[in-house]
Amino acid sequence: MVEIEFRDVGKSFIDKQTGEPRAAVTNISLSIAKGEVVSLIGPSGCGKSTLLNMGSGLYAPTSGKVFVAGQEVTKPVREVAFMLQKDLLMQWRTIEDNVALGLEIAGVDKSERKRVANELLVKCHLRGFEKHYPYQLSGGMRQRAAIARTLAVDPQVMLLDEPFSALDAQTKMILQQDLAKMLYEKKKTALFITHDLVEGIALSDRLLVMSERPGTIIEEIVIDLPLRDNPLERRKLPEIGPLQGRLMDLLKIGKEEDAVLH
């Protein structure tokens, strides 16, 4: 079953200097099946975040259509949850109340909100911090709370925009491990943006490589490796190096530097 689909999608914005439309992405067609994790990789400014904004209903496509569970996306939809680089926790709410925010908005009663929030806080290794406030937690702990908040609304599709980019390398790998296990156990569908090539390989079933702006998909790479639920171990597989090298070639990483040196 396809959970999210982009059909020949394009998006343009008006250039403030010229007043003319400028394409951010063009000719994007992709589909993601239930329980699949797909990563978008491409140069900065190629439109990766624009795609996520259209997938969540925050932007309308200039051309083409987006579908979630077979229904066209014309406005923000409850079946989709969006997680950004920053945790965006509300500083005046406890961690428990932050995690339960989406449920509160949806009208879920207080006892059920508390049950769901605490269950996820345990899974995210935040037991004992339910009544703390965001300023009392480290960056990694706040991002764990943001993951719990995203999962609390039980979305069909999770859109993840570089959720670990601001964290140190060790914390990043630990949170990757936690997220991968929860996505696998709950059979969640996810579209994930990353600039970390190994992170993309370690977490994903497929990688979609995008061109420079206006972004379009230039390559699909199936990650036919075990251990998607265990990225720490998947990172150790010998196939990781060649896959990373292939991505570097597609993205032309190192090519410009070589040209300068020679």
Side-chain angles (χ1 to χ4, degrees), residues 214-231:
T216 193
I217 295 169
I218 58 173
E219 187 87 7
E220 176 188 82
I221 300 175
V222 176
I223 308 300
D224 189 18
L225 298 175
L227 303 170
R228 201 206 81 192
D229 62 329
N230 192 344

Side-chain angles (χ1 to χ4, degrees), residues 176-213:
Q176 288 168 1
Q177 187 81 351
D178 291 340
L179 177 64
K181 285 184 176 180
M182 285 186 279
L183 290 175
Y184 189 82
E185 290 171 0
K186 293 179 176 292
K187 295 181 173 58
K188 293 297 181 186
T189 304
L191 183 57
F192 188 90
I193 291 177
T194 180
H195 282 100
D196 183 330
L197 305 185
V198 176
E199 177 179 74
I201 297 166
L203 289 174
S204 306
D205 296 299
R206 285 187 291 143
L207 302 176
L208 300 176
V209 183
M210 294 182 66
S211 68
E212 293 182 351
R213 185 187 187 109

Side-chain angles (χ1 to χ4, degrees), residues 87-212:
D87 58 73
L88 299 179
L89 298 176
M90 295 181 175
Q91 299 302 311
W92 60 91
R93 293 177 70 108
T94 64
I95 297 304
E96 178 183 272
D97 287 342
N98 265 288
V99 172
L101 177 62
L103 297 173
E104 184 178 340
I105 292 170
V108 176
D109 69 78
K110 187 173 182 179
S111 61
E112 179 63 8
R113 297 199 307 261
K114 182 179 178 69
R115 183 194 68 78
V116 172
N118 280 275
E119 179 181 294
L120 284 166
L121 287 170
V122 169
K123 287 183 178 293
C124 290
H125 310 289
L126 289 171
R127 184 199 294 272
F129 292 93
E130 299 86 354
K131 302 303 180 185
H132 284 61
Y133 289 86
Y135 74 89
Q136 296 175 301
L137 273 60
S138 68
M141 293 170 78
R142 290 196 300 270
Q143 205 67 348
R144 287 181 194 276
I147 292 172
R149 180 186 58 195
T150 305
L151 288 166
V153 294
D154 195 25
Q156 289 179 258
V157 178
M158 293 179 65
L159 303 176
L160 304 153
D161 192 349
E162 294 192 83
F164 309 129
S165 61
L167 303 173
D168 65 85
Q170 183 176 348
T171 302
K172 180 188 294 188
M173 285 193 287
I174 293 170
L175 289 188
Q176 288 168 1
Q177 187 81 351
D178 291 340
L179 177 64
K181 285 184 176 180
M182 285 186 279
L183 290 175
Y184 189 82
E185 290 171 0
K186 293 179 176 292
K187 295 181 173 58
K188 293 297 181 186
T189 304
L191 183 57
F192 188 90
I193 291 177
T194 180
H195 282 100
D196 183 330
L197 305 185
V198 176
E199 177 179 74
I201 297 166
L203 289 174
S204 306
D205 296 299
R206 285 187 291 143
L207 302 176
L208 300 176
V209 183
M210 294 182 66
S211 68
E212 293 182 351

Side-chain angles (χ1 to χ4, degrees), residues 235-259:
R235 283 173 174 269
K236 300 175 185 178
L237 296 175
E239 295 89 345
I240 295 293
L243 284 168
Q244 184 181 14
R246 184 177 174 190
L247 288 169
M248 291 175 70
D249 288 341
L250 287 167
L251 296 168
K252 299 180 174 59
I253 295 174
K255 303 297 183 184
E256 294 180 3
E257 289 85 347
D258 289 345

